[in-house]
Amino acid sequence: MAGRDLRALFSTNDRKVEAGEAFTNRQGQWQIVQAALGEHLARTTTAGFDVEDLEAPRTNVLVFHGVGGIGKTTLSRTLEAALTDTAGRPARWGEPSWPARPALLPVRIDLSRSAGTDFERVLLTIRLALAAHLGRPLPAFDIALRRYWEHQHPGESLEEYLSRGGLVARFGKALPQQVQSALGDVAQALLLPGSVGGAVGQLTGTLATALRERRQTVRALAGCPLLADLLVAEPDVDALSYYPYLLAWELARLPVGKSVVPVVLLDTFEDTGDRTHRDLERLVQRVVWLMPNAFFVVTGRSRLQWADSALQGQLDYTGPTAWPGLTQQAVPGPRPADGPGNGRQILIGDFSPQDCDNYLARRLVKDGRPLIAPELRAVITDRSHGLPLYLDLAVLRFLELRRTGHTPTPADFDADFPALITRTLADLTPDERHILRSVSLLDAFDLPLATATAGLPHQAAAARLVERPFVREDPYALWPYHLHALIRSTLRTADDATDDRWTDADWQAAAERALHALGEQWRTVPGPGRRLLVGCLRQGLALARDHRLDLGWLTDAAYAYTDDYVWEPLPLPARTDDGDDALTTPADALAELLSTLSRRQHEHRARTADRLTTILDTGLLPAELTEMALYYRAKAHRDLGQSTASRDGMRQVADSGGRLAPDAARGLAHLARATGDFPTALATARTLGWPGRGQRVLGDIHFAHGDMAQAATAYTSARTEAEQHSNTGEQAIAQAHLALTLAFTYPGRAEREIALAEQLLAGLDQRATTLTTKIAALVRDAGTPGPDVVDRAALLRAEITTAGITAAALLLELALVLHHTVRGDDTAARGDIARLEELTRGGDYTYYTDIAHFITGLPATGPSPTHWLDTQQATRQRWRTLATAAHRNTPNAAG
């Protein structure tokens, strides 16, 4: 029975108001799964269990529900892995005590909207898993499925659908063959002539008649009493949702040695609909009901309401008798910390929005109706972040406003509850209270960071604090602890009426300690260097921005962030002072600078240049960081083909002699190459060394000359240097160019090098390098028959145009020149050259048109301004030799 909220009852004279009370805590999910599965196996293997009983209560479902982002999907995946193989089960979970037979077959289905899972896919996924596991037809289901498929997907084979949807890759191709085998066996039993595939309607009609006449020829299926009815029903999705009955019947007939219990994990269940639109939920519920010998683990944001009799009409099977394990108190009640939970519905984390609304609707009831209006419940739910304590305080505020004769409105709840602070701090020691306020400045923390931010000499208070329920833990995160979102925001923004409340100076001092502590962690803590750098930058930038702190170590961290060319996103939380987005402090400008450098991988380079100009115009950055903005603006100008602007910026940075001077010198070498001044580019490259990535620049120069052996050697050296300096980003760049170089000379070896480039790029965000790798794959395939290369090139051209990267556009057209030359298509090659001429109309990179003529052997339209390192004839001969070799090594090149 639900508890009574005496505070609410004694806050009003209205005796018709009914009030309930609720608390919640977390459970040991794996132990619950073990216990529930053990009970299910024991029940379904007894002699009295009847899979055809359509009226018996169902206890074959277990629900884990809670707010988004608390690990429900991770739990679902871990359960799948643990049930699939002992190696996938965390050691701390222990060994289950299930018998060897029946075997457990986990089948995880993502119901999220992003996965695009409809009901057909749900049912096919289950059947495909059984097909892969059993290796045999399930005739009753398979025949009905084939009839449905012929009606709903005319002209599309089941195999084509499964391949397109990715299900074949997951489960294999057994199902279509098993379905065909089932049809063939039944056709033979019924003595039907002709092709089974063309006579599905005749076969199912004849089979239905034979079943009703109880013919001996179909005695193997005669024991399924409702098969005939399903075969004559209209084969629509509604009928399909009853086919799981046939699956359950077939599974019950399996011999002991083949017996299997599907454990179906339905994740993101909230995306089956909402509490008004339940069409998909109704279909999925039928699967659960009609397969009592299978076990279902549901994870979602809300509990299942199937045991609520009020849903009769929206769902087929409702009420506490139908689902005894899903019954739940009107307001979620207390659960022991280590117990099995309230039936088969386990709340993990905080309340979901739907459960918050349910809580508020049922917490205060008058004459059988919720006392708090829906629009008011929505506001309270949004501000609560699922915290039951906030909901409790909101109910009390509602009653207080109502008692004074004021009708509560949403605006009355657009504020924090100072009582949250008081109640949160109530039983904490002074040191714990001090640490709690300190860590509210941080998104996440560990014990050393919390202690340093608080300025305490020992960790004991922090260790005690993290055991409190409002401190959440993610053991796999960089910093494992974080405060509940609502507790954190209230501590930072609400009026604090406690005796030891902080002054503005106290908050400022804590922010300074937090920023210093983050810098010390970044500089001194061994471990995940890049991950730690990005984490410290995110938190440090937010602190410096919100509290107008000096940049300090953030300048060094910003350079460390850019040095590796990885470009992880650096999103910062919203300002705590509700200020606008104007750049007013150095921290604002630095945050915008790093964000721009990250976003440039997903924006046109013109947008990048504009953003950097805006930052530079503020004059907020110190000299070292102004140099960074200038350099990357110059890079953006170069990518856009604006060589004069790029050269001016690069020279300004190079002349400054700062940290980016070697990079700017490399930029000047690239610009010299762009003008065709290869002697100057080579002379500069020889002075760069590792700081200026000299080997990569040498590789670019040798590549342009068709000297692929020297280019490959230079790129290999560049990759080795990057590996020695633990610079994954530079490794990826050098590797992509090496793959491109070898694609022109050794397509077979290029296959491996392209794969390595893709491997190095995984987890990086390098748009230009990714484009280079894709172009390398085109060069590798140059001359192959069919439209594949040209189609891929068209997609790449659109992607390059979106990015605004001129060098990639030139490389793409050069790859097409080679392809069409090998194919012997001079007309297409001339079109490629025309596009190159258009791209180089401004005077830069005209050597690409020279190379295109070298490859094709077509005459140039005029003299070239390019200054080659050796003679033009030597360079022409190298490129022409490459094209000839590619033609010779490509099968059916001219076909």
Side-chain angles (χ1 to χ4, degrees), residues 145-364:
L145 174 64
R146 180 60 181 272
R147 178 172 178 263
Y148 167 87
W149 200 262
E150 291 288 331
H151 280 76
Q152 296 297 324
H153 297 266
E156 180 182 30
S157 72
L158 178 60
E159 186 169 2
E160 290 172 346
Y161 175 87
L162 298 175
S163 297
R164 189 176 66 252
L167 292 173
V168 166
R170 181 178 173 188
F171 296 105
K173 299 182 178 181
L175 179 57
Q177 290 84 351
Q178 292 179 16
V179 171
Q180 194 65 26
S181 175
L183 290 170
D185 292 344
V186 172
Q188 185 176 6
L190 294 172
L191 302 178
L192 290 177
S195 169
V196 173
V200 173
Q202 177 188 353
L203 183 147
T204 53
T206 305
L207 175 58
T209 301
L211 289 170
R212 286 175 172 167
E213 293 174 358
R214 301 182 181 277
R215 295 181 195 171
Q216 286 297 310
T217 54
V218 291
R219 61 183 179 274
L221 296 174
C224 188
L226 297 179
L227 175 57
D229 299 275
L230 289 174
L231 291 179
V232 298
E234 179 68 21
D236 54 16
V237 173
D238 193 64
L240 180 68
S241 68
Y242 290 99
Y243 292 2
Y245 162 83
L246 304 175
L247 267 185
W249 182 80
E250 291 279 11
L251 291 175
R253 295 173 60 245
L254 292 173
V256 174
K258 289 281 188 178
S259 60
V260 62
V261 172
V263 180
V264 183
L265 300 111
L266 300 171
D267 191 30
T268 327
F269 198 83
E270 69 271 13
D271 277 1
T272 59
D274 53 38
R275 297 192 173 185
T276 301
H277 304 91
R278 298 178 180 268
D279 295 339
L280 179 56
E281 183 181 4
R282 182 175 66 253
L283 300 177
V284 174
Q285 192 207 48
R286 286 178 187 165
V287 177
V288 179
W289 184 270
L290 296 173
M291 296 186 70
N293 48 352
F295 191 77
F296 295 82
V297 180
V298 173
T299 45
R301 294 196 175 188
S302 301
R303 66 181 179 89
L304 292 185
Q305 295 179 299
W306 298 352
D308 189 345
S309 299
L311 292 183
Q312 187 173 6
Q314 292 190 69
L315 301 175
D316 293 348
Y317 311 98
T318 59
T321 302
W323 305 97
L326 302 183
T327 56
Q328 199 155 346
Q329 296 167 273
V331 177
R335 292 194 301 272
D338 298 318
N342 188 7
R344 294 293 180 85
Q345 304 237 49
I346 311 303
L347 177 64
I348 53 177
D350 295 319
F351 288 170
S352 69
Q354 292 90 341
D355 278 334
C356 287
D357 183 78
N358 187 57
Y359 175 102
L360 294 168
R362 300 195 184 195
R363 174 72 179 274
L364 297 176

Side-chain angles (χ1 to χ4, degrees), residues 363-374:
R363 174 72 179 274
L364 297 176
V365 177
K366 183 178 181 180
D367 298 328
R369 299 172 63 85
L371 195 59
I372 305 177

